[in-house]
């Protein structure tokens, strides 16, 4: 076997091994995620405390640019999002999601807080405070929400993803100062089980190919080493 051919086989085997490792890792992650889903099929974040002394907490613009993947919004159990919020201070709570432009208009002149970034482990949130003096109208009657919930205790909204710019808002139901809530988010991610086993199967096949290439190189090298000795 020529050195060039041997090197090519070794390189190909090495790449196949890397691909196999990546696929197996992806499959294991998918299966782990599938095991973490709740009884309704949602894969959720942990519950974390968000608080601000202003009248509302809002996320930054969530850009849902589906493009050619807008079929997601019409597919059962795919693209469903759930947001749960529980008041930490016992006040009646409101949680809703609306177009970012509508949220900005609704909170214009209102002292509110934007959640800019979140680190999960350890949990830490970065906030931006927006100054204002206006008391917002009742969020319940704002008429801008694609999904909303309000009342005592835990509030939950289920929303099917739509194309566009969206923001989630959490505030006291009466719009008063001081928002303090434990919030979690989840999404329906079907096919994780199928994805996991398919990735592991593909990774195993790629690993078998890599082993075969390495064995071929070793056998050819041994044969080439034995042949000159036998001739001598």
């Amino acid at each position: 076997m020529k050195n060039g051919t041997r090197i090519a086989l070794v390189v190909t085997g090495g790449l196949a091994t890397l691909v196999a490792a990546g696929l197996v890792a992806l499959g294991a992650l998918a299966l782990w995620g599938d095991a973490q889903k709740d009884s309704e099929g949602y894969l959720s974040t942990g519950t974390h405390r968000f608080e601000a002394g202003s009248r509302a907490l809002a996320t930054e613009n969530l850009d849902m640019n589906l493009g050619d993947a807008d079929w997601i919004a019409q597919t059962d159990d795919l693209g469903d999002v759930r947001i749960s919020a529980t008041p930490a201070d016992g006040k009646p709570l409101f949680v809703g999601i609306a177009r970012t432009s509508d949220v900005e208009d609704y909170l214009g002149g209102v002292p509110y807080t934007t959640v800019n970034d979140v680190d999960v482990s350890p949990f830490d949130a970065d906030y931006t405070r927006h100054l204002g003096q206006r008391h917002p109208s009742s969020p319940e009657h704002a008429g801008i929400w694609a999904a909303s919930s309000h009342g005592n205790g835990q509030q939950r909204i289920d929303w099917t993803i739509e194309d566009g710019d969206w923001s989630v808002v959490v505030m006291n139901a009466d719009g008063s100062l001081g928002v303090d809530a434990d919030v979690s988010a989840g999404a329906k991610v079907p096919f994780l089980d199928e994805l996991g086993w398919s990735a592991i199967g593909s990774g195993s096949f790629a690993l078998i190919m890599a082993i075969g290439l390495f064995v071929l190189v070793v056998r050819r090298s041994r044969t080439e080493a034995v042949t000159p000795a036998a001739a001598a």
Side-chain angles (χ1 to χ4, degrees):
M1 181 184 294
K2 295 181 179 180
N3 286 337
T5 303
R6 183 181 293 109
I7 293 173
L9 289 175
V10 170
V11 171
T12 302
L15 291 175
T17 301
L18 290 175
V19 171
L23 287 171
V24 170
L26 174 62
L29 181 62
L31 292 177
W32 177 84
D34 187 66
Q36 304 306 307
K37 292 192 295 188
D38 61 23
S39 59
E40 296 182 66
Y42 281 88
L43 186 62
S44 301
T45 67
T47 299
H48 298 291
R49 175 72 61 84
F50 292 86
E51 54 187 326
S54 57
R55 295 187 183 276
L57 274 167
T59 64
E60 287 190 311
N61 171 37
L62 304 176
D63 185 6
M64 302 297 182
N65 185 10
L66 299 178
D68 293 334
D70 56 359
W71 55 271
I72 288 176
Q74 287 86 45
T75 303
D76 293 340
D77 297 333
L78 184 59
D80 289 343
V81 173
R82 169 172 293 172
I83 299 169
S84 299
T86 304
D89 53 12
K91 295 180 181 179
L93 195 68
F94 173 91
V95 57
I97 185 167
R99 300 278 182 183
T100 299
S101 57
D102 291 335
V103 170
E104 291 174 346
D105 289 342
Y106 172 67
L107 295 177
V110 173
Y112 74 98
T113 303
T114 300
V115 181
N116 298 320
D117 190 24
V118 175
D119 292 326
V120 176
S121 182
F123 175 76
D124 184 55
D126 291 331
Y127 301 97
T128 296
R129 178 73 181 267
H130 303 270
L131 301 178
Q133 298 295 328
R134 189 172 67 85
H135 189 297
S137 59
S138 169
E140 176 187 356
H141 301 109
I144 64 173
W145 312 107
S148 65
S149 179
H150 67 280
N152 294 307
Q154 185 185 69
Q155 302 303 309
R156 189 182 78 183
I157 59 173
D158 295 303
W159 176 65
T160 299
I161 292 175
E162 296 181 41
D163 208 354
D165 297 329
W166 301 87
S167 293
V168 177
V169 176
V170 178
M171 56 193 299
N172 296 324
D174 60 358
S176 59
L177 290 167
V179 183
D180 191 357
D182 296 318
V183 182
S184 67
K188 279 192 174 180
V189 187
F191 319 130
L192 281 180
D193 183 67
E194 295 86 346
L195 173 62
W197 288 115
S198 296
I200 289 176
S202 300
S204 299
F205 178 72
L207 182 59
I208 291 172
M209 288 184 59
I211 293 173
L213 290 172
F214 287 131
V215 169
L216 178 62
V217 171
V218 171
R219 284 184 175 178
R220 289 291 182 89
S221 298
R222 286 179 178 177
T223 299
E224 290 172 1
V226 169
T227 299

